[in-house]
Amino acid sequence: MGKAPTVFDLFCGAGGLSLGFQQADFRVLGGNDFFKSAGQTFSNAHENSKFYDMPIQELKGNHILSDMSMKRGDLDCLVGGPPCQAYSVYNHKRSMDDERANLFKEYLRIVDELYPKWIVIENVTGIKSIDNGQVIETIRTELNDRGYEIEVKTLFAEDYGIPQERRRVIFLGNRINAPIHWPKKTHTAENFVTIFDSISDLPELENGEKLCDGTYLEKPKSNYQRNIRKNSLKITNHDAPKLGAVNIERLKFIKPGGSWRDIPHDLLPNGMKSAKRSDHTKRYGRMKWDGMSCTILTKCDIHWGAYIHPEQDRAITVREAARIQGFPDHVEFFGNKTEQYVQVGNAVPPILGKAIAKTILPTINSIKNSALNDETV
């Protein structure tokens, strides 16, 4: 067997997508982002990988190739989540000064300079509704013009064993005329991973309490926890955010699965006192042990989503959010707490990344093995 297939991660953040590829036995060469704290997290999670801490406009493909002792076309897979929403000929508000459009142009420049065999792009589902889907077609055309056959599909995180309702649009393709396969679902409503499966073994915390020594106080209560605790000796990032007194008073009325509707009218925030009962269904939501999480965002603010612990009167910690995103416990998030939540919320769940990587791996290995056999003939 030859060397492990290679992957590079653009707009990598904490590196959830490439971490999944690493778990599928890819060699993560490096990542790029302009976010120093995320770079610390990425480097900690990806041993022997290089983090390029700079705007993508300053990133040069020939420097990456030189650093990795590769030639153009050697890289097996380029992954990442470039901002794509503004990059459409049908977006009449677009201009040459639109940062998101220009960032995607920079992504295409790196594609040209590295010329990877495979491409994986991740984006939010909102991209499908912009210009009646023309953004997706524009991206597909840009990549087709570069020799890539691209397919696009919306994947549901819960279908792959992630305890969260999260939908993401994935662009998957290659320039080597290889078949494109999508990961098969591993979970259904009968065996979805739950909040209990994901965080029930973590130490209890009071509102605003910081975990002292990070000791695991309980044994894993599920296979999910057993897998996520592998290679971890302690718990990090498990500090409860400090909620104000009025929020703590509100939490006392919210039952598991409940929301702002459980809060007495006089305790509601002024902006919500006139809200319809059918509106804002996730605000001040308390998780249920036997349910899944709503989408983990970059700010697990109880005013905006269902981020209240199922039993404890507090918001979920960075570690609990990371567990719900499928990050292993050995991945420590650096920076201040706000930056840590941003890194977790922006990430592609590693479990989903691994599922995608495993659909690519057999083709890459088959081609490499064929090449090795040809050399020995």
Short mmCIF file of all heavy atoms in Angstrom, two decimals, residues 272-294:
data_model
loop_
_atom_site.label_atom_id
_atom_site.label_comp_id
_atom_site.label_asym_id
_atom_site.label_seq_id
_atom_site.Cartn_x
_atom_site.Cartn_y
_atom_site.Cartn_z
N MET A 272 -40.40 39.98 23.47
CA MET A 272 -41.11 38.74 23.21
C MET A 272 -42.52 38.72 23.83
O MET A 272 -43.28 37.78 23.61
CB MET A 272 -40.31 37.54 23.73
CG MET A 272 -38.96 37.37 23.05
SD MET A 272 -38.10 35.88 23.59
CE MET A 272 -39.12 34.61 22.83
N LYS A 273 -42.86 39.76 24.55
CA LYS A 273 -44.16 39.76 25.23
C LYS A 273 -45.34 39.83 24.26
O LYS A 273 -46.45 39.42 24.58
CB LYS A 273 -44.22 40.92 26.23
CG LYS A 273 -43.36 40.66 27.47
CD LYS A 273 -43.46 41.78 28.48
CE LYS A 273 -42.63 41.43 29.72
NZ LYS A 273 -42.65 42.52 30.74
N SER A 274 -45.08 40.36 23.07
CA SER A 274 -46.15 40.44 22.08
C SER A 274 -45.99 39.40 20.98
O SER A 274 -46.72 39.43 19.99
CB SER A 274 -46.16 41.85 21.45
OG SER A 274 -44.91 42.13 20.84
N ALA A 275 -45.05 38.46 21.14
CA ALA A 275 -44.81 37.44 20.12
C ALA A 275 -45.96 36.44 20.06
O ALA A 275 -46.62 36.15 21.07
CB ALA A 275 -43.50 36.71 20.42
N LYS A 276 -46.21 35.91 18.86
CA LYS A 276 -47.20 34.86 18.70
C LYS A 276 -46.66 33.56 19.30
O LYS A 276 -45.47 33.30 19.25
CB LYS A 276 -47.52 34.65 17.22
CG LYS A 276 -48.17 35.84 16.54
CD LYS A 276 -48.42 35.52 15.08
CE LYS A 276 -49.05 36.71 14.37
NZ LYS A 276 -49.27 36.41 12.92
N ARG A 277 -47.56 32.76 19.81
CA ARG A 277 -47.14 31.49 20.42
C ARG A 277 -46.49 30.56 19.40
O ARG A 277 -45.72 29.66 19.77
CB ARG A 277 -48.35 30.79 21.04
CG ARG A 277 -49.09 31.58 22.08
CD ARG A 277 -48.33 31.74 23.37
NE ARG A 277 -48.24 30.50 24.12
CZ ARG A 277 -47.59 30.39 25.29
NH1 ARG A 277 -46.96 31.43 25.79
NH2 ARG A 277 -47.56 29.23 25.92
N SER A 278 -46.77 30.77 18.12
CA SER A 278 -46.21 29.91 17.08
C SER A 278 -44.84 30.40 16.59
O SER A 278 -44.21 29.74 15.77
CB SER A 278 -47.17 29.84 15.89
OG SER A 278 -47.43 31.15 15.38
N ASP A 279 -44.40 31.54 17.09
CA ASP A 279 -43.13 32.12 16.64
C ASP A 279 -41.98 31.69 17.56
O ASP A 279 -42.18 31.29 18.71
CB ASP A 279 -43.21 33.65 16.63
CG ASP A 279 -44.13 34.18 15.54
OD1 ASP A 279 -44.46 33.38 14.63
OD2 ASP A 279 -44.52 35.36 15.61
N HIS A 280 -40.79 31.81 17.01
CA HIS A 280 -39.56 31.64 17.81
C HIS A 280 -39.56 30.32 18.58
O HIS A 280 -39.31 30.27 19.79
CB HIS A 280 -39.39 32.80 18.81
CG HIS A 280 -39.64 34.15 18.22
ND1 HIS A 280 -38.90 34.64 17.17
CD2 HIS A 280 -40.55 35.12 18.53
CE1 HIS A 280 -39.33 35.86 16.85
NE2 HIS A 280 -40.33 36.17 17.66
N THR A 281 -39.83 29.22 17.89
CA THR A 281 -40.06 27.95 18.57
C THR A 281 -38.84 27.44 19.35
O THR A 281 -38.99 26.63 20.25
CB THR A 281 -40.47 26.87 17.55
OG1 THR A 281 -39.46 26.79 16.53
CG2 THR A 281 -41.80 27.22 16.90
N LYS A 282 -37.64 27.89 19.01
CA LYS A 282 -36.44 27.38 19.67
C LYS A 282 -35.92 28.30 20.79
O LYS A 282 -35.08 27.88 21.59
CB LYS A 282 -35.31 27.18 18.65
CG LYS A 282 -35.63 26.19 17.54
CD LYS A 282 -35.81 24.79 18.07
CE LYS A 282 -36.03 23.79 16.93
NZ LYS A 282 -36.26 22.42 17.43
N ARG A 283 -36.41 29.51 20.85
CA ARG A 283 -35.87 30.45 21.83
C ARG A 283 -36.14 29.98 23.26
O ARG A 283 -37.23 29.52 23.58
CB ARG A 283 -36.46 31.84 21.62
CG ARG A 283 -35.90 32.55 20.39
CD ARG A 283 -36.32 34.01 20.36
NE ARG A 283 -35.71 34.70 19.24
CZ ARG A 283 -35.79 36.00 19.03
NH1 ARG A 283 -36.48 36.75 19.87
NH2 ARG A 283 -35.20 36.55 18.00
N TYR A 284 -35.15 30.13 24.08
CA TYR A 284 -35.22 29.66 25.47
C TYR A 284 -35.65 28.20 25.52
O TYR A 284 -36.40 27.78 26.40
CB TYR A 284 -36.17 30.53 26.30
CG TYR A 284 -35.58 31.88 26.65
CD1 TYR A 284 -35.75 32.98 25.81
CD2 TYR A 284 -34.81 32.06 27.79
CE1 TYR A 284 -35.20 34.22 26.11
CE2 TYR A 284 -34.25 33.30 28.11
CZ TYR A 284 -34.45 34.37 27.26
OH TYR A 284 -33.89 35.59 27.56
N GLY A 285 -35.15 27.42 24.58
CA GLY A 285 -35.50 26.01 24.54
C GLY A 285 -34.61 25.18 25.46
O GLY A 285 -33.40 25.42 25.54
N ARG A 286 -35.24 24.24 26.15
CA ARG A 286 -34.47 23.30 26.97
C ARG A 286 -34.41 21.96 26.24
O ARG A 286 -35.42 21.44 25.78
CB ARG A 286 -35.11 23.12 28.34
CG ARG A 286 -34.21 22.32 29.31
CD ARG A 286 -34.89 22.03 30.62
NE ARG A 286 -35.02 23.17 31.49
CZ ARG A 286 -34.10 23.59 32.36
NH1 ARG A 286 -32.92 22.96 32.43
NH2 ARG A 286 -34.32 24.63 33.13
N MET A 287 -33.21 21.43 26.13
CA MET A 287 -33.02 20.14 25.46
C MET A 287 -33.72 19.02 26.20
O MET A 287 -33.96 19.12 27.42
CB MET A 287 -31.53 19.83 25.34
CG MET A 287 -30.75 20.81 24.50
SD MET A 287 -28.97 20.45 24.56
CE MET A 287 -28.38 21.51 23.24
N LYS A 288 -34.02 17.95 25.46
CA LYS A 288 -34.57 16.73 26.06
C LYS A 288 -33.52 15.63 25.96
O LYS A 288 -32.85 15.49 24.93
CB LYS A 288 -35.84 16.27 25.32
CG LYS A 288 -37.00 17.20 25.39
CD LYS A 288 -38.27 16.52 24.88
CE LYS A 288 -38.11 16.05 23.44
NZ LYS A 288 -39.34 15.41 22.93
N TRP A 289 -33.41 14.82 27.00
CA TRP A 289 -32.42 13.74 26.98
C TRP A 289 -32.65 12.80 25.79
O TRP A 289 -31.69 12.34 25.17
CB TRP A 289 -32.48 12.93 28.27
CG TRP A 289 -31.80 13.52 29.47
CD1 TRP A 289 -32.33 13.67 30.72
CD2 TRP A 289 -30.45 14.00 29.56
NE1 TRP A 289 -31.41 14.22 31.58
CE2 TRP A 289 -30.24 14.43 30.90
CE3 TRP A 289 -29.40 14.12 28.65
CZ2 TRP A 289 -29.02 14.95 31.34
CZ3 TRP A 289 -28.19 14.66 29.09
CH2 TRP A 289 -28.01 15.06 30.40
N ASP A 290 -33.91 12.54 25.48
CA ASP A 290 -34.19 11.56 24.42
C ASP A 290 -34.38 12.22 23.05
O ASP A 290 -34.81 11.57 22.10
CB ASP A 290 -35.42 10.71 24.76
CG ASP A 290 -36.68 11.54 24.91
OD1 ASP A 290 -36.59 12.79 24.91
OD2 ASP A 290 -37.77 10.93 25.03
N GLY A 291 -34.04 13.49 22.93
CA GLY A 291 -34.15 14.20 21.67
C GLY A 291 -32.79 14.56 21.11
O GLY A 291 -31.74 14.15 21.61
N MET A 292 -32.83 15.34 20.03
CA MET A 292 -31.60 15.85 19.43
C MET A 292 -31.53 17.35 19.62
O MET A 292 -32.50 18.00 20.00
CB MET A 292 -31.55 15.50 17.94
CG MET A 292 -31.34 14.04 17.65
SD MET A 292 -31.14 13.72 15.88
CE MET A 292 -32.76 14.13 15.28
N SER A 293 -30.37 17.90 19.33
CA SER A 293 -30.18 19.34 19.44
C SER A 293 -30.64 20.04 18.17
O SER A 293 -30.64 19.46 17.08
CB SER A 293 -28.69 19.64 19.67
OG SER A 293 -28.43 21.03 19.59
N CYS A 294 -31.03 21.30 18.31
CA CYS A 294 -31.17 22.13 17.12
C CYS A 294 -29.77 22.43 16.60
O CYS A 294 -28.77 22.03 17.22
CB CYS A 294 -31.91 23.43 17.46
SG CYS A 294 -31.06 24.49 18.66
#
